[in-house]
Amino acid sequence: MNAKTLRASCAIVIAALTLDVMAQGKPIAYPSKGQSAQKQQADDGACYSWAKSNTGIDPATASTAPPPQSGPAVGGGERVGGAARGAAGGAVIGAIAGDAGKGAAIGATAGTMAGGARARQNRREQQANAQAQSQGAMSTYYRAWSACMQGRGYSIQ
């Protein structure tokens, strides 16, 4: 499995888990005034529209964040910066040991690896922030939906 396929698979799994979490978070409406299933479905649709228009949040699109970008231009240049810092440090240490070129090469390799680790950490933080924002938006939407359904005579859990 190549790196692109692995990244795409991970993005799909994360999206599926996010949708599953979102679906589990929806409040349950109980018809406390004897509303029929058809009436409850109609009220649910009306409250969906009302909550969407009052919060500006559409639950159908709130959970579909764009997949994280990848490639050499993504990540703010952590690898290149790491390589440059590593090469500079390696050249200094290599000069002391007697071979600045070899020291710079070793330092650049180590710096590239450290920069890659920083880039991966930054991507994880961005994904966590996006997920937190999505969950916050869904919470706001569901509070509005619940208020609407309660106003129509449903008990919400």
Side-chain angles (χ1 to χ4, degrees):
M1 182 181 293
N2 65 26
K4 257 186 178 176
T5 305
L6 181 61
R7 280 189 216 118
S9 298
C10 287
I12 290 169
V13 169
I14 290 170
L17 290 174
T18 302
L19 289 173
D20 187 44
V21 168
M22 298 292 179
Q24 291 175 1
K26 182 178 180 182
I28 298 170
Y30 176 77
S32 60
K33 294 185 178 179
Q35 298 94 327
S36 68
Q38 292 81 13
K39 175 70 172 149
Q40 184 173 357
Q41 189 174 13
D43 288 341
D44 187 9
C47 288
Y48 169 89
S49 296
W50 182 84
K52 180 180 163 185
S53 67
N54 280 287
T55 63
I57 298 164
D58 183 356
T61 60
S63 60
T64 56
Q69 296 179 349
S70 62
V74 177
E78 284 96 345
R79 287 182 191 264
V80 174
R85 285 188 296 279
V92 169
I93 293 170
I96 293 170
D99 190 352
K102 188 174 182 180
I106 293 170
T109 301
T112 300
M113 292 171 62
R118 279 192 299 276
R120 287 187 295 279
Q121 178 62 31
N122 288 343
R123 280 194 298 275
R124 283 191 295 269
E125 289 172 3
Q126 289 170 349
Q127 289 172 343
N129 288 339
Q131 184 177 10
Q133 287 176 351
S134 179
Q135 287 174 345
M138 292 305 296
S139 176
T140 299
Y141 167 81
Y142 285 139
R143 280 196 336 259
W145 179 86
S146 295
C148 177
M149 290 296 280
Q150 284 177 335
R152 291 172 180 256
Y154 294 86
S155 175
I156 304 297
Q157 291 294 320

